[in-house]
Amino acid sequence: MKLFSLAPALPALALALAGCGGSKPAAAAKSPAQVFAEIDGNAILEHTKTLSSDPFEGRAPGSKGEDFTVAYIADQFRQAGLYPGNTDGTFVQKVPLIGITPDPNVTLTFKKGGREEKLKFKDDFVAWTKQVAESAELVNSELVFVGYGVQAPQFSWDDYKGADLKGKTIVMLIGDPPVPDPANPTQLDPKVFGGRAMTYYGRWTYKYEIGAKMGAAGVLIVHETESAGYPFTVVQNKVNEQFDLIAPDNNMSRAAVEGWISLDQARRLFALAGKDLSALKKQAVTREFKPVPFGVTASITLQNKLRTIHSRNVVGKLEGSDRRLKEEYIAYTAHWDHLGVGADVKGDRIYHGAQDNATGIGGLIELARACGQLSPPPKRSVLFLAVTAEEQGLLGSQHYAVTPIYPLAKTLAVINMDSLNVHGTTKDITIVGLGNSELDDYAQQVAAEQGRVIKPDPEPEKGSYYRSDHFPFAKQGVPALASSAGIDYAGKPADYGKKIRAEYIAHIYHQPADVVRPDWDMSGAVQDLQFYGLIGYRVSLADKYPEWKAGSEFKGVREEQLKAAAAR
Ligand SMILES: [Zn+2]
């Protein structure tokens, strides 16, 4: 079976045939496409088997499994020819984490005059604090409805209109403002907030960040299944221990209380305030919307159990060959962590995380080895980042992106790998957030050389671009490419890709059942690594930095960053 249709390989073959019978041509260096095509799928499989084996205990941050994992990756990076990626001469970057467990015996009280509504933790609301403190509270904090809580200058959108929200508790809707298309009001306007696709303004993480920026003491999101993309039961899982990074200010600049309330309780709150939720929702999809004070106060006291965890990112470096350009970087990322040991499912308590994401780490190691064999070698330096605590909210990658070892203004691109294809080669490849940056143009070209087509994310409304380790880099301005396996498998029935995907989500994803299976075929992983490898390699040689495309929410951040770096 022909795996790759690689144009550059053909002239070499023709040359070899022409030379038949004559003198042997000198051994020519392999083309970069060939180097990546020869990545050893079995080696990736072996790394995956090791990392997902019982002694690694599901690779939870802070566990014995972390010690094994970090030691394994550092050792493999060294064997693959990488240098320690931290400037302190080691392969690790420390990632201090805080584990916060809220006491569930807590009530949220809404009060207006003599009337009170008492909400029950977990059933009616969930709330937590990310402040590193034994307790956090709201005492008769005034409630204000702020619509979707969005401030997006590029869409001339500001739900706050300069309102003073210091110490208040703001209530907001989940998702992007669903602005109808003036040309066709049955559809969403593709020119604002990405149309059907979710932008970062729709994500709950954005809502808490902007709330803190406004100085709010409390931020409560109204849960609605359709616009959130998941049911209230998912939100209710937040009653367990949550991890976060420890900012220098112990996260005291975040809102004291963050949380969700159920839609039923939101309706009751609006009624208590004498307001109509559906009428205000309509106002909230217009630029004229202004914050609406409820005349109701909120009170709650949260008690926390705190635990510090010393986790690590593993960082390897392949130094660039150009004396000047080696101070510029391309980064590959993959998370090493998984869920650890948890609830028993069919006799197994270890959440092995073989596909998610031992395969990505195996791929990262073998990609590093291949990059060391390229001729000509990459001019810019290439970083290989195996990051921690992705499953806890992209914490390892966020730590690197806010505390980078190498300047982000000199980091040209980030390419992320999360869960490689283990079912054979495909005729397509998916790019999440297609159209975001010029990295997509590199991707188009490489895919075409592989004889493949690029497909956009089939479910852009789920906001997948904001849910893996490339995102913290994008948020800081670095163009970041996220792709996932194709669905059109070579030599398989048309519905094969969809079937295995559905089977994975239903029975394997985030379950102890995510183990290496005898029917795995790593040829597709190698095909995708060739794709990632060639994109990064070409950026490493390019004359100019890849840029965000017009309309991307990250373009402004990057321009500021490059301007600031040039002024230094
Ligand atoms: Zn993952």
Side-chain angles (χ1 to χ4, degrees):
M1 185 171 58
K2 192 173 116 194
L3 297 189
F4 309 110
S5 76
L6 293 166
L10 291 176
L13 183 68
L15 213 73
L17 290 174
C20 227
S23 62
K24 240 176 158 182
K30 284 174 193 162
S31 73
Q34 193 63 31
V35 168
F36 291 121
E38 287 177 11
I39 285 176
D40 183 358
N42 270 325
I44 303 171
L45 196 59
E46 287 307 313
H47 297 311
T48 305
K49 280 182 184 164
T50 303
L51 291 164
S52 62
S53 63
D54 286 357
F56 285 72
E57 295 178 347
R59 306 187 305 281
S63 70
K64 194 159 82 213
E66 160 158 356
D67 294 341
F68 288 157
T69 305
V70 167
Y72 182 83
I73 300 170
D75 187 45
Q76 291 295 327
F77 275 179
R78 197 179 290 114
Q79 287 185 39
L82 297 183
Y83 284 98
N86 200 336
T87 44
D88 65 6
T90 71
F91 278 97
V92 301
Q93 179 186 38
K94 289 182 183 150
V95 182
L97 299 175
I98 184 87
I100 302 173
T101 312
D103 179 350
N105 295 312
V106 57
T107 321
L108 172 63
T109 307
F110 294 145
K111 207 155 88 183
K112 179 178 184 167
R115 288 181 59 200
E116 259 185 18
E117 295 272 359
K118 285 196 182 296
L119 281 69
K120 211 169 155 240
F121 190 70
K122 194 167 176 179
D123 292 348
D124 302 332
F125 78 100
V126 292
W128 60 86
T129 186
K130 290 293 180 80
Q131 296 186 345
V132 182
E134 307 270 307
S135 67
E137 61 181 7
L138 300 174
V139 184
N140 296 322
S141 167
E142 270 182 63
L143 283 157
V144 182
F145 176 61
V146 295
Y148 287 86
V150 168
Q151 202 170 46
Q154 72 273 44
F155 303 129
S156 316
W157 197 281
D158 179 11
D159 285 328
Y160 296 97
K161 307 285 191 304
D164 179 11
L165 298 168
K166 281 201 185 60
K168 295 181 182 172
T169 295
I170 57 179
V171 176
M172 57 179 103
L173 303 166
I174 188 66
D176 293 317
V179 183
D181 189 345
N184 177 1
T186 64
Q187 286 179 3
L188 295 181
D189 188 344
K191 290 193 286 299
V192 250
F193 301 114
R196 185 168 77 93
M198 187 189 279
T199 69
Y200 187 54
Y201 302 106
R203 291 277 296 160
W204 56 271
T205 47
Y206 170 80
K207 311 276 177 190
Y208 298 128
E209 284 164 11
I210 187 81
K213 201 176 144 200
M214 293 294 151
V219 180
L220 297 174
I221 300 175
V222 176
H223 180 268
E224 288 181 274
T225 301
E226 199 187 326
S227 32
Y230 38 82
F232 197 62
T233 49
V234 169
V235 170
Q236 287 171 322
N237 284 334
K238 291 206 165 268
V239 301
N240 301 322
E241 182 179 43
Q242 292 191 52
F243 291 82
D244 205 344
L245 295 171
I246 309 173
D249 71 346
N250 277 334
N251 304 339
M252 297 311 275
S253 58
R254 297 188 61 152
V257 176
E258 302 175 354
W260 294 81
I261 55 174
S262 70
L263 184 56
D264 277 351
Q265 290 301 326
R267 287 206 185 96
R268 293 174 71 115
L269 168 62
F270 278 73
L272 179 67
K275 312 281 181 202
D276 178 0
L277 174 59
S278 42
L280 283 177
K281 266 181 82 171
K282 274 192 196 126
Q283 279 183 32
V285 299
T286 67
R287 287 189 173 80
E288 290 70 45
F289 174 84
K290 281 203 292 277
V292 181
F294 276 143
V296 178
T297 62
S299 298
I300 186 172
T301 302
L302 296 169
Q303 303 288 346
N304 290 320
K305 260 207 314 256
L306 303 173
R307 175 168 79 105
T308 310
I309 294 140
H310 303 280
S311 194
R312 285 155 288 178
N313 291 332
V314 190
V315 192
K317 180 176 165 184
L318 179 72
E319 193 156 85
S321 61
D322 183 278
R323 210 159 43 87
R324 196 173 49 84
L325 293 181
K326 72 179 183 189
E327 306 295 331
E328 300 181 349
Y329 307 89
I330 317 298
Y332 287 98
T333 52
H335 71 89
W336 61 252
D337 67 300
H338 196 61
L339 303 171
V341 179
D344 189 304
V345 182
K346 293 177 189 157
D348 197 353
R349 293 183 55 222
I350 299 175
Y351 287 65
H352 299 276
Q355 195 171 350
D356 182 13
N357 186 31
T359 55
I361 294 298
L364 192 69
I365 293 164
E366 294 311 312
L367 190 65
R369 196 184 315 280
C371 286
Q373 293 160 9
L374 292 167
S375 172
K379 285 186 182 171
R380 295 186 172 90
S381 296
V382 187
L383 302 174
F384 297 85
L385 299 178
V387 294
T388 182
E390 187 269 353
E391 307 286 7
Q392 312 288 347
L394 320 179
L395 300 178
S397 51
Q398 197 192 324
H399 180 72
Y400 185 97
V402 298
T403 323
I405 297 174
Y406 303 98
L408 294 185
K410 293 197 178 292
T411 304
L412 279 74
V414 167
I415 300 173
N416 186 48
M417 298 184 285
D418 193 348
S419 307
L420 298 185
N421 170 17
V422 293
H423 301 287
T425 59
T426 59
K427 296 187 260 184
D428 58 350
I429 183 153
T430 303
I431 291 198
V432 181
L434 185 64
N436 260 340
S437 83
E438 289 173 359
L439 292 176
D440 294 352
D441 305 337
Y442 285 89
Q444 293 280 7
Q445 194 191 352
V446 172
E449 287 165 19
Q450 288 186 314
R452 298 206 284 180
V453 291
I454 298 273
K455 294 218 180 109
D457 179 3
E459 298 173 303
E461 67 278 8
K462 287 197 174 166
S464 300
Y465 191 74
Y466 313 103
R467 294 164 74 169
S468 195
D469 291 308
H470 54 280
F471 173 62
F473 290 89
K475 204 173 157 199
Q476 300 299 324
V478 182
L481 184 77
S483 108
S484 61
I487 50 164
D488 188 3
Y489 282 83
K492 300 271 167 58
D495 62 347
Y496 179 76
K498 270 201 184 125
K499 256 191 197 154
I500 50 168
R501 174 100 196 130
E503 151 84 16
Y504 176 73
I505 296 291
H507 303 297
I508 299 172
Y509 173 70
H510 285 193
Q511 303 271 346
D514 184 1
V515 293
V516 174
R517 287 171 199 277
D519 66 343
W520 278 14
D521 171 353
M522 303 306 283
S523 60
V526 173
Q527 186 189 31
D528 289 352
L529 287 168
Q530 187 197 42
F531 173 79
Y532 301 135
L534 285 173
I535 294 169
Y537 176 59
R538 287 177 192 177
V539 176
S540 86
L541 304 175
D543 294 337
K544 65 182 278 291
Y545 281 34
E547 290 176 17
W548 293 102
K549 295 199 171 176
S552 155
E553 63 258 60
F554 314 111
K555 193 176 174 63
V557 186
R558 183 61 158 180
E559 285 169 358
E560 290 295 311
Q561 182 178 62
L562 295 180
K563 215 186 292 168
R568 241 177 266 135

